[in-house]
Amino acid sequence: MEAKLLSEHYSDDSYIGLEGYKSKGGYAELKTAFKMKPEEIIEVVKQSGLRGRGGAGFPTGVKWGFLPKNGEPRYLLCNADEGEPGTFKDRVMMERAPHQLIEGMIISGFAVGSHKAYIYVRGEYMDSVRILEKAIQEAYAAGYLGKNILGSGFDFDLDVYRGAGAYICGEETGMISSLEGKKGQPKLKPPFPAIQGYLKKPTIVNNVETLAAVKYIIRDGAEGYRKYGTEKSAGTKLFSVSGDVNKPGVYEVPLGYSLMDLINNECGGMREGRKLKAVIPGGSSAPVLTAEETGRATMDYECLAEMGSMLGSGAVIIIDETRCMVDMLKVILHFYHHESCGQCTPCREGTGWLEKIVRSIVDGNGRLQDIDLLNRVAENMKGRTICALSDAAALPTMSFIQKFREEFEFFIREGRSQVKG
Amino acid sequence: MFELSPEGKELVKKELARYEDKYSAIIPSLYQIQKENEGWVSPEAVDHLSELTGIPHSHINEVLKFYTMFNLKPTGKYHIQVCCNITCSMFQARELTDDLCQKLGIKEGEVSEDGRFTVSRVECLGSCDNAPAVQVNETYHDNMTPEKMDTLISELK
């Protein structure tokens, strides 16, 4: 069953504008938050069990707690550089409910003591940029942004920054580099952004969905929010479902929801009644699940981690029996090779080699030993770089080979795809 | 020689003042240049921006070349960007691109003879529920088919 917490009003066009948003209870939680102490808000967010919805799943309240406990100026940065292949929920959120994000950001900014925030939107999302800029103007005019918001004494400025096409800027330190007017290359951690981020000042980077969820944690309290989801994966999550289902789209369900139910109930089942072959459950960097694993999977951080995959950004790609896994891996590896920022050798060289080897298989020039070679290259790319992009290429490679080895062997032996004939 | 329009210069000035650090103005300024320079950023335009901002052109070049949305050579009036990432490629995006190039008589990245079109394959556009997704300049087009592409091309004058 869908659990429409954040997405309750997404189908209502009037919710995009300030008046419509207010008529549905918009900015009520901001008033509630201003009656609380910042540390109380952080505590409620901790208690709620909210975890980062961009991909890593790190507890939000804990991240906020890493900030230095002094008056040092700090930034709040909203990560809207949605680029993980298969993901489109942040775009829907920004375009259907810009004020929801803005309200979530003001509350979060108040909690962490930040007076200046940016929403870093990927360059392609011009509609999102326009809609957000308009909503921000409305919020300034109505006194929700700027000086002494609603007489609280709290000042908060919010601006939109438009990226220019680089997947790596979705990595929080890459995003900070980009906002600083540099190449979007990730930085070594530590220091973590909470200690030294944008312009070397403490910076909190949170995903669109994470910041919007804060509003509902204030509204319903930690316990209210925990009514959804599981003990360790609390709350709801927006899943971007694409591929071979009848009704692809964004669906909000409680964490812990059955993946098969998501496919059959929300998404109307498989296209043309075809048989399910595999699912990529958390964006293209998440290891693939077989149909059998899909039957057992629940959509929470723990279950997918136990299966050797991950919830990631919640991008669920459904793959039916007619799809060639070798060809799909080629597409995935081309992407990571293209997007590697180039600063770490294992990633820069490794992504190139992985793509080259799989491409040669697809071109009919594969050798059986290439399968082990792919595994060896991938193994050497894991955990050896500044950021996770290298792993994001290595892990799908290893999982595709492990679970669909026969298809790779067939392609090499016969020089053609097992499924495409 | 390239020079921004008075409005363009005004925008650069505003962007320089908008952020705590003037380097943050590079990306928005490059967008403005691209808009005024037939869809690309020329070496002369980099020199011009360097002069306007006082930022070394080595640094501007570094930024320019890192981000895929900046074009380093002229593009057609309409830059047709076909997503060929995972979900879109499942729904014939690659075949759609080949077909389109053939119809326009150009290779990817080239400008059609009448100056109207450039075709590029791009990575995930975040519109996977409408695969295959195509972006023409700043506008998204959903669930594209060869037929819909024909109609679109004929409408882009």
Side-chain angles (χ1 to χ4, degrees), chain A residues 40-61:
Chain A
E40 282 171 2
I41 299 175
I42 297 179
E43 190 52 34
V44 174
V45 171
K46 270 186 194 162
Q47 294 301 328
S48 76
L50 176 65
R51 293 166 65 172
R53 299 289 192 240
F58 193 81
T60 306

Side-chain angles (χ1 to χ4, degrees), chain A residues 249-263:
Chain A
V250 173
Y251 298 99
E252 184 178 15
V253 295
L255 283 163
Y257 192 65
S258 146
L259 177 48
M260 283 312 295
D261 284 350
L262 181 64
I263 295 171

